[in-house]
Amino acid sequence: MTATASPLPLRRSGTLALAAGALLLAGCAAKPVQGYGAAVDPSLAQQAQQQLEKAEQLTQIDPQQTYLNLIAQMQQARQWYASLAHTEAFERQYGSNAQIRLKRADALRNTGQALPAEQAYQALLGEADSQVQARAHRGLGLLYASQQRYAPAVAQLERARQLNPIDADLLADLAYTHMLDGRLDAAALPMLQAAQLAPANARVQLNLALYWLASGARDQAGLLLQRLRQPASPNAAPLIDDTSLQTLQTQLASIEQAVRTRADPRAPLVLGSAPLPSPRLQELQ
């Protein structure tokens, strides 16, 4: 088969080479050329250009988004001080935007800088993006909850829930704040919603176990904790470990005390809590 075409510039990218190869095959499968020296079909030339442009897009790397992803990974690993430094470096290099401002506010909150964090979140409430607003309200809610200001914390988390009603982590935060305030009845709906929305989320499921324990449903909590300690497959790690259970025990003691205080503000502080109802947990290690 013989055809004439303008030579395409050589590309080092393997992706572009594959795209060019695909074009040659497409040309061979097209309608045969009617006579020597016939012009190339314009539709084939257009198709070639479109496929090359698509291949170029696939090979491009966005350094700004890559940097944002790196900061997000630092925060997921709880490297809050390092991530705070990188938010400043990001803004010097690329300027400010809502996403980096949210990450900076989160880093300020998690490094104990309450006032700057509060100001940063409040400044984001005026953004047009409802998801940004929801995250800012959630940040304020978590900040106030850490200060044991449960009424304004719940108000902020409720506003975030209205903007993003299917965020399981947000719903779990709202339920946990209600529990810390001794309001188990108010915690029920957001907790059960979160658990069904995120059945594989260890944090959410631990909060469900915590709710059941505080509510007296110890058998349900024990079964859930056993399931979370059981690996989903032979090579998979369990969703929770002994450290998770120790944290759960401490949280349960705080919530039980909050429930007693709400029922009777004169009730004395009681230290400690009953053991978790999971006698077989050690066998599942």
Short mmCIF file of all heavy atoms in Angstrom, two decimals, residues 168-169 172 179 191-213 220-229 239-240 244-245 248 251:
data_model
loop_
_atom_site.label_atom_id
_atom_site.label_comp_id
_atom_site.label_asym_id
_atom_site.label_seq_id
_atom_site.Cartn_x
_atom_site.Cartn_y
_atom_site.Cartn_z
N ALA A 168 -19.33 10.09 54.80
CA ALA A 168 -19.37 9.19 55.96
C ALA A 168 -18.48 9.68 57.09
O ALA A 168 -18.85 9.59 58.27
CB ALA A 168 -18.97 7.78 55.54
N ASP A 169 -17.29 10.19 56.78
CA ASP A 169 -16.39 10.68 57.83
C ASP A 169 -17.01 11.87 58.55
O ASP A 169 -16.89 11.99 59.78
CB ASP A 169 -15.04 11.06 57.22
CG ASP A 169 -14.20 9.85 56.87
OD1 ASP A 169 -14.11 8.93 57.70
OD2 ASP A 169 -13.64 9.82 55.76
N ALA A 172 -19.72 10.61 60.84
CA ALA A 172 -19.12 9.98 62.02
C ALA A 172 -18.60 11.04 63.00
O ALA A 172 -18.72 10.89 64.22
CB ALA A 172 -17.99 9.05 61.60
N MET A 179 -21.88 12.22 71.00
CA MET A 179 -21.55 11.28 72.07
C MET A 179 -20.70 11.94 73.15
O MET A 179 -20.93 11.74 74.35
CB MET A 179 -20.85 10.04 71.51
CG MET A 179 -21.77 9.10 70.74
SD MET A 179 -20.99 7.52 70.31
CE MET A 179 -20.08 7.96 68.83
N MET A 191 -24.70 8.30 63.02
CA MET A 191 -23.79 7.17 63.18
C MET A 191 -24.20 6.00 62.30
O MET A 191 -23.36 5.38 61.63
CB MET A 191 -23.76 6.74 64.65
CG MET A 191 -22.70 5.69 64.96
SD MET A 191 -21.02 6.36 64.80
CE MET A 191 -20.54 5.79 63.15
N LEU A 192 -25.47 5.67 62.28
CA LEU A 192 -25.94 4.56 61.47
C LEU A 192 -25.84 4.88 59.98
O LEU A 192 -25.54 3.99 59.16
CB LEU A 192 -27.37 4.19 61.85
CG LEU A 192 -27.53 3.67 63.28
CD1 LEU A 192 -29.01 3.47 63.63
CD2 LEU A 192 -26.76 2.36 63.48
N GLN A 193 -26.07 6.12 59.61
CA GLN A 193 -25.88 6.52 58.22
C GLN A 193 -24.42 6.34 57.80
O GLN A 193 -24.13 5.79 56.73
CB GLN A 193 -26.32 7.96 58.02
CG GLN A 193 -27.82 8.18 58.05
CD GLN A 193 -28.18 9.65 57.91
OE1 GLN A 193 -27.48 10.53 58.41
NE2 GLN A 193 -29.29 9.92 57.24
N ALA A 194 -23.51 6.82 58.63
CA ALA A 194 -22.08 6.71 58.31
C ALA A 194 -21.66 5.26 58.16
O ALA A 194 -20.92 4.90 57.24
CB ALA A 194 -21.25 7.40 59.39
N ALA A 195 -22.13 4.41 59.06
CA ALA A 195 -21.73 3.00 59.05
C ALA A 195 -22.19 2.30 57.78
O ALA A 195 -21.46 1.47 57.21
CB ALA A 195 -22.30 2.29 60.27
N GLN A 196 -23.39 2.62 57.30
CA GLN A 196 -23.87 1.99 56.09
C GLN A 196 -23.24 2.58 54.84
O GLN A 196 -23.07 1.89 53.83
CB GLN A 196 -25.39 2.08 56.01
CG GLN A 196 -26.10 1.21 57.04
CD GLN A 196 -27.59 1.10 56.81
OE1 GLN A 196 -28.15 1.72 55.91
NE2 GLN A 196 -28.25 0.31 57.63
N LEU A 197 -22.88 3.86 54.88
CA LEU A 197 -22.22 4.47 53.73
C LEU A 197 -20.79 4.00 53.56
O LEU A 197 -20.26 3.98 52.44
CB LEU A 197 -22.24 6.00 53.88
CG LEU A 197 -23.58 6.70 53.63
CD1 LEU A 197 -23.52 8.15 54.11
CD2 LEU A 197 -23.94 6.65 52.15
N ALA A 198 -20.13 3.64 54.66
CA ALA A 198 -18.72 3.26 54.60
C ALA A 198 -18.46 1.99 55.41
O ALA A 198 -17.82 2.05 56.46
CB ALA A 198 -17.85 4.41 55.09
N PRO A 199 -18.92 0.84 54.93
CA PRO A 199 -18.75 -0.40 55.70
C PRO A 199 -17.30 -0.86 55.84
O PRO A 199 -16.99 -1.64 56.73
CB PRO A 199 -19.58 -1.43 54.90
CG PRO A 199 -19.65 -0.87 53.52
CD PRO A 199 -19.67 0.62 53.69
N ALA A 200 -16.40 -0.37 54.98
CA ALA A 200 -14.99 -0.78 55.04
C ALA A 200 -14.10 0.29 55.67
O ALA A 200 -12.88 0.14 55.68
CB ALA A 200 -14.48 -1.13 53.64
N ASN A 201 -14.69 1.34 56.19
CA ASN A 201 -13.92 2.43 56.80
C ASN A 201 -13.72 2.09 58.28
O ASN A 201 -14.67 2.11 59.07
CB ASN A 201 -14.68 3.75 56.63
CG ASN A 201 -13.91 4.95 57.14
OD1 ASN A 201 -13.30 4.91 58.20
ND2 ASN A 201 -13.94 6.04 56.39
N ALA A 202 -12.49 1.79 58.67
CA ALA A 202 -12.22 1.33 60.04
C ALA A 202 -12.60 2.39 61.07
O ALA A 202 -13.17 2.07 62.12
CB ALA A 202 -10.74 0.98 60.18
N ARG A 203 -12.30 3.64 60.79
CA ARG A 203 -12.61 4.72 61.74
C ARG A 203 -14.12 4.82 61.96
O ARG A 203 -14.58 4.94 63.10
CB ARG A 203 -12.06 6.03 61.20
CG ARG A 203 -12.39 7.25 62.03
CD ARG A 203 -11.69 8.48 61.46
NE ARG A 203 -12.14 9.69 62.13
CZ ARG A 203 -13.18 10.41 61.74
NH1 ARG A 203 -13.90 10.01 60.70
NH2 ARG A 203 -13.52 11.50 62.38
N VAL A 204 -14.88 4.77 60.89
CA VAL A 204 -16.34 4.86 61.00
C VAL A 204 -16.89 3.66 61.76
O VAL A 204 -17.75 3.79 62.64
CB VAL A 204 -16.97 4.97 59.60
CG1 VAL A 204 -18.48 4.79 59.67
CG2 VAL A 204 -16.63 6.32 58.96
N GLN A 205 -16.38 2.47 61.44
CA GLN A 205 -16.90 1.26 62.08
C GLN A 205 -16.52 1.22 63.57
O GLN A 205 -17.30 0.74 64.40
CB GLN A 205 -16.38 0.01 61.36
CG GLN A 205 -16.87 -0.12 59.93
CD GLN A 205 -18.39 -0.17 59.83
OE1 GLN A 205 -19.05 -0.89 60.59
NE2 GLN A 205 -18.96 0.59 58.90
N LEU A 206 -15.36 1.74 63.92
CA LEU A 206 -15.00 1.83 65.34
C LEU A 206 -15.92 2.79 66.08
O LEU A 206 -16.29 2.55 67.23
CB LEU A 206 -13.54 2.27 65.48
CG LEU A 206 -12.49 1.16 65.41
CD1 LEU A 206 -11.09 1.76 65.36
CD2 LEU A 206 -12.62 0.20 66.58
N ASN A 207 -16.30 3.87 65.42
CA ASN A 207 -17.25 4.79 66.04
C ASN A 207 -18.61 4.12 66.25
O ASN A 207 -19.30 4.39 67.23
CB ASN A 207 -17.41 6.05 65.18
CG ASN A 207 -16.36 7.10 65.48
OD1 ASN A 207 -15.44 6.87 66.27
ND2 ASN A 207 -16.47 8.25 64.86
N LEU A 208 -18.98 3.25 65.31
CA LEU A 208 -20.24 2.51 65.48
C LEU A 208 -20.13 1.57 66.68
O LEU A 208 -21.07 1.48 67.50
CB LEU A 208 -20.55 1.70 64.22
CG LEU A 208 -21.78 0.80 64.29
CD1 LEU A 208 -23.05 1.61 64.58
CD2 LEU A 208 -21.93 0.00 62.99
N ALA A 209 -19.01 0.87 66.82
CA ALA A 209 -18.81 0.00 67.98
C ALA A 209 -18.85 0.82 69.27
O ALA A 209 -19.44 0.39 70.28
CB ALA A 209 -17.47 -0.73 67.85
N LEU A 210 -18.26 2.00 69.24
CA LEU A 210 -18.27 2.89 70.40
C LEU A 210 -19.69 3.29 70.76
O LEU A 210 -20.09 3.28 71.93
CB LEU A 210 -17.42 4.11 70.09
CG LEU A 210 -17.24 5.15 71.19
CD1 LEU A 210 -16.54 4.56 72.39
CD2 LEU A 210 -16.45 6.35 70.64
N TYR A 211 -20.48 3.62 69.75
CA TYR A 211 -21.88 4.00 69.98
C TYR A 211 -22.65 2.84 70.59
O TYR A 211 -23.42 3.03 71.56
CB TYR A 211 -22.53 4.45 68.67
CG TYR A 211 -24.03 4.57 68.76
CD1 TYR A 211 -24.62 5.64 69.43
CD2 TYR A 211 -24.86 3.60 68.22
CE1 TYR A 211 -26.00 5.74 69.54
CE2 TYR A 211 -26.23 3.68 68.32
CZ TYR A 211 -26.80 4.76 68.99
OH TYR A 211 -28.16 4.84 69.11
N TRP A 212 -22.47 1.64 70.05
CA TRP A 212 -23.18 0.49 70.58
C TRP A 212 -22.76 0.20 72.03
O TRP A 212 -23.60 -0.13 72.87
CB TRP A 212 -22.95 -0.73 69.70
CG TRP A 212 -23.90 -0.79 68.53
CD1 TRP A 212 -25.13 -0.19 68.45
CD2 TRP A 212 -23.71 -1.48 67.30
NE1 TRP A 212 -25.71 -0.48 67.24
CE2 TRP A 212 -24.87 -1.26 66.52
CE3 TRP A 212 -22.68 -2.26 66.78
CZ2 TRP A 212 -25.02 -1.81 65.24
CZ3 TRP A 212 -22.83 -2.80 65.51
CH2 TRP A 212 -23.99 -2.59 64.75
N LEU A 213 -21.49 0.30 72.32
CA LEU A 213 -21.02 0.06 73.67
C LEU A 213 -21.62 1.07 74.64
O LEU A 213 -22.10 0.72 75.72
CB LEU A 213 -19.49 0.14 73.73
CG LEU A 213 -18.72 -1.03 73.12
CD1 LEU A 213 -17.25 -0.68 72.96
CD2 LEU A 213 -18.88 -2.29 73.96
N GLN A 220 -23.73 -6.60 70.09
CA GLN A 220 -23.53 -6.11 68.73
C GLN A 220 -22.13 -5.53 68.58
O GLN A 220 -21.45 -5.75 67.57
CB GLN A 220 -24.57 -5.04 68.40
CG GLN A 220 -25.98 -5.59 68.18
CD GLN A 220 -26.97 -4.47 67.95
OE1 GLN A 220 -27.35 -3.76 68.88
NE2 GLN A 220 -27.37 -4.29 66.70
N ALA A 221 -21.68 -4.77 69.58
CA ALA A 221 -20.35 -4.19 69.52
C ALA A 221 -19.28 -5.27 69.48
O ALA A 221 -18.31 -5.17 68.72
CB ALA A 221 -20.14 -3.27 70.73
N GLY A 222 -19.46 -6.30 70.30
CA GLY A 222 -18.47 -7.38 70.33
C GLY A 222 -18.36 -8.09 69.00
O GLY A 222 -17.25 -8.39 68.52
N LEU A 223 -19.49 -8.37 68.35
CA LEU A 223 -19.46 -9.03 67.04
C LEU A 223 -18.79 -8.14 65.99
O LEU A 223 -18.02 -8.63 65.16
CB LEU A 223 -20.89 -9.37 66.61
CG LEU A 223 -21.59 -10.49 67.40
CD1 LEU A 223 -23.05 -10.61 66.98
CD2 LEU A 223 -20.86 -11.82 67.22
N LEU A 224 -19.09 -6.86 66.04
CA LEU A 224 -18.47 -5.94 65.09
C LEU A 224 -16.96 -5.88 65.29
O LEU A 224 -16.18 -5.94 64.33
CB LEU A 224 -19.08 -4.55 65.23
CG LEU A 224 -18.44 -3.44 64.38
CD1 LEU A 224 -18.50 -3.77 62.90
CD2 LEU A 224 -19.12 -2.10 64.66
N LEU A 225 -16.51 -5.81 66.54
CA LEU A 225 -15.08 -5.74 66.80
C LEU A 225 -14.37 -7.01 66.37
O LEU A 225 -13.25 -6.97 65.85
CB LEU A 225 -14.83 -5.46 68.28
CG LEU A 225 -15.22 -4.07 68.77
CD1 LEU A 225 -15.15 -3.98 70.29
CD2 LEU A 225 -14.35 -3.01 68.13
N GLN A 226 -15.00 -8.15 66.56
CA GLN A 226 -14.41 -9.41 66.09
C GLN A 226 -14.27 -9.41 64.57
O GLN A 226 -13.25 -9.85 64.03
CB GLN A 226 -15.26 -10.58 66.56
CG GLN A 226 -15.16 -10.84 68.06
CD GLN A 226 -15.93 -12.09 68.47
OE1 GLN A 226 -16.16 -12.99 67.68
NE2 GLN A 226 -16.34 -12.14 69.73
N ARG A 227 -15.30 -8.90 63.88
CA ARG A 227 -15.22 -8.85 62.42
C ARG A 227 -14.10 -7.92 61.96
O ARG A 227 -13.37 -8.22 61.02
CB ARG A 227 -16.56 -8.38 61.84
CG ARG A 227 -16.56 -8.27 60.32
CD ARG A 227 -17.92 -7.94 59.78
NE ARG A 227 -18.38 -6.62 60.15
CZ ARG A 227 -18.00 -5.50 59.54
NH1 ARG A 227 -17.11 -5.54 58.55
NH2 ARG A 227 -18.48 -4.32 59.93
N LEU A 228 -13.95 -6.79 62.63
CA LEU A 228 -12.91 -5.85 62.26
C LEU A 228 -11.51 -6.40 62.53
O LEU A 228 -10.55 -6.02 61.86
CB LEU A 228 -13.10 -4.52 63.01
CG LEU A 228 -14.38 -3.74 62.69
CD1 LEU A 228 -14.48 -2.51 63.58
CD2 LEU A 228 -14.43 -3.33 61.23
N ARG A 229 -11.39 -7.28 63.48
CA ARG A 229 -10.09 -7.90 63.78
C ARG A 229 -9.77 -9.07 62.86
O ARG A 229 -8.64 -9.56 62.84
CB ARG A 229 -10.05 -8.38 65.24
CG ARG A 229 -9.93 -7.28 66.27
CD ARG A 229 -8.62 -6.50 66.14
NE ARG A 229 -7.45 -7.33 66.32
CZ ARG A 229 -6.84 -7.52 67.48
NH1 ARG A 229 -7.30 -6.92 68.57
NH2 ARG A 229 -5.77 -8.28 67.56
N LEU A 239 -8.59 -4.56 59.95
CA LEU A 239 -8.90 -3.13 59.94
C LEU A 239 -8.48 -2.45 61.24
O LEU A 239 -8.21 -1.25 61.25
CB LEU A 239 -10.39 -2.91 59.69
CG LEU A 239 -10.89 -3.23 58.28
CD1 LEU A 239 -12.40 -3.03 58.18
CD2 LEU A 239 -10.17 -2.38 57.24
N ILE A 240 -8.46 -3.20 62.37
CA ILE A 240 -8.08 -2.60 63.64
C ILE A 240 -7.06 -3.49 64.34
O ILE A 240 -6.91 -4.67 63.99
CB ILE A 240 -9.31 -2.39 64.56
CG1 ILE A 240 -9.93 -3.74 64.95
CG2 ILE A 240 -10.33 -1.49 63.90
CD1 ILE A 240 -11.03 -3.61 65.99
N SER A 244 -5.98 0.29 68.49
CA SER A 244 -7.33 0.78 68.22
C SER A 244 -8.26 0.46 69.37
O SER A 244 -9.08 1.29 69.79
CB SER A 244 -7.87 0.17 66.93
OG SER A 244 -7.02 0.42 65.83
N LEU A 245 -8.14 -0.74 69.92
CA LEU A 245 -9.00 -1.14 71.02
C LEU A 245 -8.70 -0.35 72.30
O LEU A 245 -9.62 0.00 73.06
CB LEU A 245 -8.85 -2.64 71.28
CG LEU A 245 -9.36 -3.56 70.16
CD1 LEU A 245 -9.05 -5.01 70.49
CD2 LEU A 245 -10.85 -3.37 69.94
N LEU A 248 -10.27 2.95 71.86
CA LEU A 248 -11.72 2.80 72.00
C LEU A 248 -12.12 2.73 73.48
O LEU A 248 -13.12 3.32 73.89
CB LEU A 248 -12.16 1.53 71.27
CG LEU A 248 -13.66 1.28 71.18
CD1 LEU A 248 -14.33 2.34 70.33
CD2 LEU A 248 -13.94 -0.10 70.59
N GLN A 251 -11.99 6.24 74.90
CA GLN A 251 -13.11 7.04 74.41
C GLN A 251 -14.41 6.62 75.10
O GLN A 251 -15.24 7.48 75.44
CB GLN A 251 -13.24 6.86 72.90
CG GLN A 251 -12.09 7.46 72.11
CD GLN A 251 -12.14 7.09 70.65
OE1 GLN A 251 -12.60 6.00 70.28
NE2 GLN A 251 -11.67 7.98 69.79
#
